[in-house]
Each structure stands twice: as structure tokens, then as C-alpha cells.
Amino acid sequence: MSEIERVGVVGAGQMGAGIAEVCARAGCDVVVVEQGGEAAEAGRERIRVSLDRAVDRGRLTGAERSAADGRLRFVTDVGELADRQLVVEAVIEDELVKADLITRIDKVLADPSAIIASNTSSIPIMKLAHGTDRPGNVIGLHFFNPVPVLPLVEVIGSLTTSPQTRERVEAFVTGTLGKQIVRAADRAGFVVNALLVPYLLAAVRMVETGRATPADVDRGMKLGCAHPMGPLELADLIGLDTVAAIAESMYAEDREPLYSPPPLLRRMVQAGLLGRKAGRGFHAYPEPGAGGG
């Protein structure tokens, strides 16, 4: 069983950049794919800022920062992933987009044992694997934002994911990346979001019905329950579009009314009030920055 050393990441937004960064810091050779040169450069800058922050906080030395940066290569062609042993897709939380991308990745990977992982927050892995010629090599790896800081990764195997794929991926996540794992069943929302998202939706409904303001909802949970962040602050950080997409996926599977996105959340997404990355969600943010879940 070969150790994973060559990694590909598709998508250099907040989550993809974080995944690429932790892989490079762990000593892996990393190829990052973005749609165009401007997006690739934005992803590169996002990682460099994060690496610089780690140096400033004493988590990396200058030499380690330079070495990690040197292990990253940014491209715009999925075909550049041909020699990768593991490819993680981290694009928009849309089933059709992810399924099409995973099919394309499958076609370019030269090694029949290469693994394709999805960083989906909620979409069942079976839905993403069935269009490939290697469903046994497709698995879910759900990282959490910010990836360089949070230690957890959900590992989600489908009915067709092979034991060898699970073993290799878990060894990589725990041994190479130094993360901790929880094993989740292939159900929409997995473990963390299946618990978290109904809580976030309940906070939205409380505001929608006029029972409390966003500020009071968040203050109540922080001061009354010792949560480090209020539910609406957290929803803004994740991105309200991502929260809505996760809720839609969970509702589509279980038809549980509590999983359905409230009308207020839908309208905010339609209006582009997506949270931190848009500068405004349930709260206002003077310096917009990308979220991710």
C-alpha cells in the first residue's frame, strides 16, 4: 500500500486553499487547479497570507513557510492531475457541478489506484461516485474551516468505497496531515452538519418570526451556553449559500421539515447577502472574506 505523497486539489477558495496548504505543510507535492489564471493567483495569495500568518504566530518558521510554498503548483487544466495519487475536489456545494468534475478527474488519473475525494459538506458520496469507473476509490473527506487550524476531518465512505481506500485515506489524514477523524455514514449532512445545520436554521427562524434580533440570538448562545460563536455569526462565516445548500441536501434525503431552508434564508441568498464573503449577512463585515463549510 503506497503512501500518498502527490496530491491534487481542485478549487482554491477558502476550503480548497486550506486543504492545499495543510498538504504542502505536511510535505506533499501539491497541484492546485482553478478555472482561470486570476482565480489561481487569488488562491495562491490566499495561501501565502495564511502561511505568513502562521509564521507571525510562531506556528511555522520562515524556512518551513518557504518550503511549503515551494511544494505548491497552480494550474488551470484538470489534465495536470494525471500523476496524482489523491485528488480532493473543493468546489461549490452543487451536486451536478461536483459529479461532473469528479467524472472528469476520473478520466485523467493515470494510476488505477488513485483516490478521488470530495470535500462536500452534505452530498452523499454515492451520488458523486456512480459516474466514475472507480467507485471503489471515491470517498468523502470533509475538512472544516479554517482548515489549517481545525483538527477534524469527516471520512465518509459510500456502499462501494473499498476498505483499501478507507485505510489509505485515514492513514494519510491522521499520519501525514496530523488531523483527527470521525467516520460518518453516507447520509446527507454526515455527522457534524446533521447536528449543526438544524441549529443554525432554528436561529434563522427565530429572527424571521421576530422573536429576537440576530445580535441577541448570538449573544444569548455565547453568554448563556458558552459557545465561542453565535449561530448566525457561524452561518455568516460558513456562507449563507452553503448553509442553504446543505439544508437542501438534507431535506431532499429525509424530508424532515426542520431541514428545509427558511424563506428568510432563501431570500438572503437570492439578494447576495451571503455573510462574511459578501460583507453582509445577518451581520455587517467591513472587510469581506471568503467562508466555507
Side-chain angles (χ1 to χ4, degrees):
M1 185 176 65
S2 60
E3 181 180 349
I4 294 171
E5 298 175 336
R6 299 186 304 280
V7 178
V9 179
V10 185
Q14 190 77 358
M15 294 303 295
I19 295 166
E21 178 186 337
V22 298
C23 291
R25 285 171 62 168
C28 298
D29 175 81
V30 184
V31 172
V32 184
V33 182
E34 256 295 359
Q35 291 184 338
E38 186 174 336
E41 188 54 39
R44 181 186 292 275
E45 181 62 21
R46 186 174 288 115
I47 293 174
R48 286 177 171 168
V49 168
S50 179
L51 290 171
D52 289 342
R53 188 182 302 121
V55 172
D56 292 341
R57 294 177 178 175
R59 294 173 180 163
L60 281 181
T61 66
E64 289 169 337
R65 180 240 181 266
S66 297
D69 188 40
R71 297 186 190 104
L72 291 157
R73 181 162 62 94
F74 289 78
V75 301
T76 57
D77 180 7
V78 173
E80 298 277 351
L81 300 173
D83 69 339
R84 302 291 96 179
Q85 296 164 297
L86 168 68
V87 176
V88 183
E89 72 78 16
V91 298
I92 186 172
E93 189 71 1
D94 181 290
E95 181 181 331
L96 294 179
V97 172
K98 286 182 179 292
D100 176 69
L101 174 59
I102 286 173
T103 299
R104 289 164 53 207
I105 294 169
D106 176 44
K107 293 183 185 305
V108 304
L109 290 174
D111 183 352
S113 70
I115 296 168
I116 304 172
S118 174
N119 185 54
T120 177
S121 305
S122 62
I123 301 168
I125 302 304
M126 192 71 247
K127 292 185 175 182
L128 304 177
H130 79 276
T132 73
D133 292 328
R134 64 182 83 208
N137 296 23
V138 180
I139 197 166
L141 283 183
H142 180 214
F143 292 78
F144 290 83
N145 183 37
V147 179
V149 176
L150 294 186
L152 183 67
V153 179
E154 287 182 310
V155 178
I156 310 103
S158 75
L159 291 172
T160 58
T161 302
S162 73
Q164 292 80 9
T165 294
R166 290 175 184 263
E167 185 178 348
R168 289 183 69 200
V169 161
E170 290 185 3
F172 174 73
V173 172
T174 59
T176 301
L177 301 186
K179 300 282 191 182
Q180 298 182 46
I181 64 169
V182 292
R183 299 180 181 92
D186 194 22
R187 296 290 302 275
F190 314 130
V191 172
V192 175
N193 280 324
L195 293 169
L196 175 64
V197 170
Y199 162 63
L200 302 183
L201 300 181
V204 175
R205 292 188 183 96
M206 187 165 282
V207 171
E208 185 174 52
T209 57
R211 292 177 63 186
T213 65
D216 283 340
V217 168
D218 285 338
R219 185 179 301 114
M221 295 309 295
K222 287 190 290 185
L223 301 184
C225 295
H227 288 198
M229 185 178 291
L232 299 175
E233 292 175 307
L234 180 54
D236 279 352
L237 175 64
I238 294 169
L240 301 188
D241 52 342
T242 301
V243 173
I246 296 169
E248 291 280 13
S249 180
M250 291 169 59
Y251 180 71
E253 178 146 307
D254 292 323
R255 295 298 173 184
E256 165 57 60
L258 291 177
Y259 296 165
S260 179
L264 175 59
L265 181 60
R266 296 178 190 271
R267 284 195 292 272
M268 291 180 73
V269 171
Q270 290 168 354
L273 306 177
L274 305 180
R276 281 186 178 272
K277 60 188 172 186
R280 181 181 166 196
F282 286 99
H283 304 283
Y285 303 92
E287 296 182 7

